[in-house]
Amino acid sequence: MNPIFHLVYISEAAEDISYTDIHDILEVSRRNNSQEAITGLLIFRDGHFLQLLEGDEKSVRKVLGKILLDDRNYSLRVLIEAQGDQRLFPNWTMAFYDGDVSPNSTEDLINLFDACLDGGASRRSLIMPMLRQFRASAPELK
Ligand SMILES: Cc1cc2nc3c(=O)[nH]c(=O)nc-3n(C[C@H](O)[C@H](O)[C@H](O)COP(=O)(O)O)c2cc1C
């Protein structure tokens, strides 16, 4: 089996981002990602996007190039680029977790964003295991 490339980034959402924008992003992402065999998770919380993209490295980098040019987000920082042998979100062309409205927006999410925003290498090693935890709620993700 081909290795799976995982890329995690955090970015700031445009000031005027709306739920209509997020809905549009998800609709286009799911259409494109299914064609490119990309899966992953997008989390929105407190004006930030945190996204895991997984698939063929070339396809993932191509999408990242588009997101970097997208003015619905800015100050994008890549946190993780790693090859692995399996997908964390195999059944999701792009799962979405709304960290602002979800009732189970708990300590897991706060710890995840702390690890991402503080940026230290030791904390980054915690990010993938933390993202994996969100798979437990994947059936509820829309
Ligand atoms: C936070 C964020 C995440 C995005 N995630 C994806 C994605 O996973 N896949 C994707 O194709 N486009 C994604 N986009 C949208 C791209 O920036 C771009 O608008 C889209 O890929 C253009 O699609 P098109 O080439 O079919 O017009 C994302 C945009 C933002 C702001």
Side-chain angles (χ1 to χ4, degrees), residues 5-56:
F5 182 67
H6 296 92
L7 188 143
V8 178
Y9 73 81
I10 191 157
S11 68
E12 291 181 38
E15 303 266 307
D16 59 351
I17 197 94
S18 67
Y19 276 100
T20 309
D21 293 321
I22 296 178
H23 180 268
D24 291 348
I25 289 170
L26 287 170
E27 196 171 85
V28 171
S29 299
R30 287 169 179 160
R31 190 182 66 222
N32 289 347
N33 294 356
S34 71
Q35 278 169 13
E36 296 281 339
I38 291 176
T39 53
L41 169 69
L42 178 68
I43 301 177
F44 178 65
R45 177 175 178 261
D46 197 18
H48 289 87
F49 288 113
L50 174 60
Q51 190 173 29
L52 163 71
L53 294 162
E54 48 187 17
D56 171 65

Side-chain angles (χ1 to χ4, degrees), residues 46-101:
D46 197 18
H48 289 87
F49 288 113
L50 174 60
Q51 190 173 29
L52 163 71
L53 294 162
E54 48 187 17
D56 171 65
E57 179 168 354
K58 213 171 138 192
S59 309
V60 168
R61 291 198 185 280
K62 192 171 106 185
V63 179
L64 180 71
K66 292 203 254 181
I67 300 170
L68 278 164
L69 294 174
D70 192 322
D71 60 12
R72 290 170 293 189
N73 76 162
Y74 61 98
S75 300
L76 186 154
R77 279 193 291 145
V78 174
L79 302 173
I80 295 175
E81 296 171 276
Q83 298 285 354
D85 54 13
Q86 50 185 323
R87 294 174 189 263
L88 295 190
F89 288 85
N91 302 322
W92 293 91
T93 51
M94 192 47 62
F96 177 62
Y97 191 90
D98 189 336
D100 283 350
V101 306

